[in-house]
Amino acid sequence: PAADRLGLERTDVEVSDAGFIVADVSGRTADPHILAVGDVAGEPMLAHKATHQAKLAVAAVRGKDISGGSHVVPAVVFTDPEVAWAGLTETEAKATGRAYSVALYPWAASGRAHSLGRPDGLTKWLIDPETDCVVGFGICGPGAGELIGEAVVAIQQKCTAADIGDAIHPHPTLSETLMNAADVHLGTAIEIYKPRRR
């Protein structure tokens, strides 16, 4: 962040040791006249996160209550193949000792992936074993950045694997790999064999 060039030393704004402006979810800083959103307000430094923060800041300034709910921020690496993730990662779960279940769906079982000549992709849900709610998602393959949106909504709305598996997805598409991965968790996947959970 370039917070050191803003003249903040002449305000009540606090800056972290890493150089980020300290702000709450509404963008408010320690100075009541200054709000901060985007890269200068901390990680992850992504344009879509900054845009969302700006919307929250405007809503807060207008007097709306924005305290409820957490917001899932997706990340996309625009390589070939694309890689995208949202919510809890396996690395974070292992580091914190959080229990999780993994549901993987290889694109080698996807008719659409084969028709595109790209059966090397993978779709993965991380699921809370107690509630069956999806808590994390990862996907690798062409169009991963386009497919991550459904996962963000599912995680943010605390959907269960059954919610996703029961939602009819069009066939043949890559979007159905999200449903298929949920079906793997449930033991109801059609294209690959995994015994039903007891």
Side-chain angles (χ1 to χ4, degrees):
D4 58 337
R5 292 178 253 155
L6 300 176
L8 296 175
E9 65 279 358
R10 296 187 302 270
T11 72
D12 292 330
V13 170
E14 296 173 11
V15 178
S16 73
D17 291 340
F20 293 108
I21 294 175
V22 178
D24 66 13
V25 69
S26 67
R28 296 189 190 280
T29 67
D31 190 311
H33 303 290
I34 299 175
L35 284 84
V37 300
D39 293 358
V40 76
E43 301 279 359
M45 298 196 300
L46 300 167
H48 48 274
K49 183 206 76 169
T51 301
H52 182 73
Q53 284 180 318
K55 287 164 61 175
L56 291 177
V58 169
V61 167
R62 295 180 67 204
K64 294 187 178 179
D65 180 14
I66 59 154
S67 59
S70 62
H71 300 278
V72 178
V73 180
V76 183
V77 181
F78 294 100
T79 52
D80 185 15
E82 287 182 10
V83 180
W85 63 94
L88 183 71
T89 67
E90 278 195 84
T91 302
E92 292 167 340
K94 288 175 183 173
T96 61
R98 179 170 180 173
Y100 65 96
S101 175
V102 175
L104 294 172
Y105 186 80
W107 287 16
S110 164
R112 182 61 176 150
H114 278 280
S115 73
L116 295 171
R118 298 301 300 268
D120 53 333
L122 182 71
T123 300
K124 174 172 91 173
W125 285 109
L126 265 59
I127 300 164
D128 183 304
E130 286 187 27
T131 65
D132 242 19
C133 288
V134 294
V135 293
F137 181 77
I139 189 165
C140 179
E146 303 297 330
L147 297 168
I148 192 76
E150 178 181 346
V152 169
V153 172
I155 296 166
Q156 192 159 312
Q157 295 301 312
K158 298 179 177 22
C159 291
T160 64
D163 292 332
I164 298 157
D166 289 345
I168 299 172
H169 288 66
H171 175 79
T173 64
L174 296 176
S175 69
E176 71 184 329
T177 67
L178 283 78
M179 172 189 69
N180 294 339
D183 285 343
V184 165
H185 173 74
L186 299 167
T188 58
I190 296 169
E191 293 87 355
I192 63 174
Y193 175 73
K194 184 172 181 189
R196 180 182 290 271
R197 291 181 17 176
R198 298 196 191 279

